Amino acid sequence: ETDAANHDINYAFSTDGGVTWQNNAGTVIADTSLAQAVRVDSPGIIVKVFDGRQLLINQQAQCVDPDGRVHVLMLHRRVEPGYEWTPGDPAFSTADTAYYHYFRDPVSGVWSERRLPVNAYSVGSRPKIAFDTSGNVYAIYVSGGSVTVPGFGVGTLVIASASKASGYTDWSDVATVGLPFIGEPLIDQGRFTASGVLSVFIQETGPSSSSA
């Protein structure tokens, strides 16, 4: 079997505009002034171990809230018994997956994990994540029904939210728009921060045209 190339969640940060880079524990692992770079095997950068069989895809979602808390939102294989990889599983799919929220405490550097609701709306497009000025977070995605290729299903626009006060344990769906949408939503974080209005740009599907 051929595994997908994607694996693990890695994290590194810089406090000097990208000249030096530190791992999650704060140890310098690369100095670009010395022609060094962060590498896949740099020490201390893996914060979540995933092998290449967890249905990870590219271009998922991250943001940093007003407290400096890093948030990552991604879809991957569910972790409960019964969802393990079996021979013949595809490399990339929405089958057997859920959306997961990972976040890093800005003081301790500890990462935590939450799972978004899995019953009301199925996994569909690659998600986006936004934050308000209070540090609450919002997940936005198109629930793509039975389509198994992330990002290409037609479905419902879903907005879910979790509060900082709960430690992001209260993820719930707060708004849905049932028009047939397609593709991946975009969000205007600048407007949300400035005015409290969450704007979502998404394509509504419609009749296609073709030439004979």
Side-chain angles (χ1 to χ4, degrees):
E1 294 289 340
T2 300
D3 295 345
N6 297 342
H7 59 88
D8 304 325
I9 299 177
N10 298 334
Y11 174 76
F13 68 95
S14 175
T15 59
D16 56 12
V19 177
T20 59
W21 287 88
Q22 302 174 44
N23 63 18
N24 192 62
T27 302
V28 175
I29 55 174
D31 185 336
T32 62
S33 69
L34 301 176
Q36 299 172 354
V38 179
R39 298 166 47 90
V40 69
D41 58 355
S42 293
I45 64 170
I46 298 178
V47 298
K48 181 72 175 184
V49 175
F50 287 119
D51 64 27
R53 296 171 171 174
Q54 303 313 308
L55 303 172
L56 294 172
I57 59 172
N58 300 332
Q59 299 169 317
Q60 302 207 47
Q62 308 86 35
C63 69
V64 182
D65 71 21
D67 297 323
R69 187 175 293 102
V70 178
H71 298 270
V72 177
L73 181 65
M74 61 195 310
L75 66 91
H76 60 71
R77 187 183 298 280
R78 292 173 64 171
V79 299
E80 310 96 299
Y83 292 91
E84 299 87 355
W85 179 89
T86 57
D89 280 357
F92 304 106
S93 173
T94 60
D96 296 335
T97 66
Y99 291 110
Y100 288 85
H101 171 216
Y102 298 90
F103 58 96
R104 180 182 187 269
D105 185 277
V107 177
S108 67
V110 172
W111 285 83
S112 301
E113 173 184 338
R114 308 285 186 254
R115 190 186 71 184
L116 273 65
V118 296
N119 297 323
Y121 293 95
S122 62
V123 170
S125 71
R126 296 179 178 94
K128 295 294 185 292
I129 188 167
F131 59 85
D132 63 23
T133 55
S134 298
N136 307 310
V137 290
Y138 300 79
I140 302 95
Y141 65 95
V142 173
S143 178
S146 61
V147 175
T148 59
V149 181
F152 295 92
V154 176
T156 297
L157 180 68
V158 179
I159 300 175
S161 181
S163 67
K164 174 185 171 182
S166 75
Y168 307 104
T169 60
D170 59 352
W171 275 106
S172 62
D173 300 325
V174 296
T176 59
V177 183
L179 292 174
F181 294 107
I182 192 168
E184 300 172 8
L186 299 175
I187 55 177
D188 188 341
Q189 180 62 64
R191 185 184 188 196
F192 198 21
T193 302
S195 64
V197 176
L198 178 58
S199 296
V200 179
F201 178 85
I202 183 64
Q203 179 179 340
E204 183 180 352
T205 190
S208 60
S209 61
S210 61
S211 57

